[in-house]
Structures are given as structure tokens and as C-alpha cells.
Amino acid sequence: NGGARTSSRTNIVLLVLAIVWLALAPTAGPFTPWRPLAWGIPAIAIVWALLSMENRVSFARWRTALLIGDASYALYLTHPVVLLLASGVMRALHIELDFTPKFAFAIVSCLIVGVAVHKLIEKPLGKGANKLLGLSARNARGVMRPAEASAAA
């Protein structure tokens, strides 16, 4: 019945601990063996906590979060390039920042590029592919209305 869930209190503690962990583990570069521990474990904790609260929190009202969720694949694909470019630009311009503003800049840069790629490339390509294949947006997502589901059964 919905899978394993943790309490809201536990989820909040997980979120806080994961954010603190991420803030204290800035030295795990992209190609170090410590990266799965430094970034992977808190990422898993964040995803677990948010998924466990899915039934108790109406995430559908959070338009920005929904947009970021829709753009998650584009974010996943573009973030390594964005981070390398942002780092290179900062080095070329001789901009020295402490960890916190650098981390904030990295997050904002990745979000801007990821959402832009989602809206300007991913969505139009998806619509074009659906049109080419003769699929409606509803069919492409595999969502059926209750009447359609009972008729198909």
C-alpha cells in the first residue's frame, strides 16, 4: 500500500542532515572515489525524504519544483558541462569565491541551463517525435482516463 514510508519528522531530519552533509563535503570532485559517499548518500536521503512525503504534501502546488522535476533529465545531462564551463569562466575572470557563493552559483547556473534545455530542446523534440509517431501527449505519457482503463480491461 504505497511502499515503505518514513514519518514527516524523520523526513525533515533526513533533509536537514543531507543538506548539512552536502555543505560539509565540498572537496569531493567529479572524478574522485569519494564522490558516491560525499554526494550520493545525501542525494539518496533527499530523494527518499521527498518521496516519503508525497502522500502528505501537495507538491503539485509547487510550480517551480514541478518545473525542475520536469527538467530533471536535462539537468542530469547538462550539469557536468555547466559546472566545467562555470568553473572555467570564473578562473578566466579571476573570480575567487568562498564555497557557499560558489555552490549557490553552481546550482543556479545548472538550473537555468537545465530548464532552458528542457523548454527549448527537450519539449519541442518530444512533441515532434509524438507527432511523427502519431501519438497524442496523453498517449505518449501512458495515462488513461478511468473510462478508458475500464474499457481496455
Side-chain angles (χ1 to χ4, degrees):
N1 187 19
R5 303 265 187 228
T6 47
S7 71
S8 294
R9 182 172 292 168
T10 301
N11 293 329
I12 291 169
V13 169
L14 273 174
L15 286 170
V16 170
L17 289 175
I19 291 167
V20 168
W21 186 330
L22 287 171
L24 296 177
T27 57
F31 304 109
T32 64
W34 291 106
R35 184 180 172 113
L37 291 174
W39 296 92
I41 292 173
I44 290 169
I46 290 169
V47 170
W48 176 273
L50 292 175
L51 287 176
S52 290
M53 292 191 296
E54 194 174 31
N55 293 344
R56 295 178 284 243
V57 177
S58 177
F59 291 112
R61 293 191 327 231
W62 299 5
R63 296 174 61 94
T64 303
L66 288 175
L67 176 61
I68 292 169
D70 288 345
S72 64
Y73 187 62
L75 279 162
Y76 166 72
L77 292 176
T78 60
H79 85 275
V81 174
V82 172
L83 293 175
L84 284 172
L85 289 174
S87 177
V89 167
M90 290 177 69
R91 253 192 318 273
L93 296 175
H94 305 288
I95 298 172
E96 293 292 328
L97 296 175
D98 290 333
F99 174 74
T100 303
K102 191 184 296 184
F103 189 68
F105 177 72
I107 290 173
V108 170
S109 299
C110 288
L111 288 173
I112 289 170
V113 172
V115 168
V117 167
H118 168 68
K119 286 187 165 259
L120 300 173
I121 298 172
E122 183 182 7
K123 281 181 81 171
L125 282 175
K127 285 181 183 179
N130 288 341
K131 187 175 181 180
L132 185 66
L133 296 171
L135 299 173
S136 70
R138 182 185 56 80
N139 288 339
R141 288 191 307 253
V143 177
M144 297 176 76
R145 294 186 180 109
E148 294 171 326
S150 61

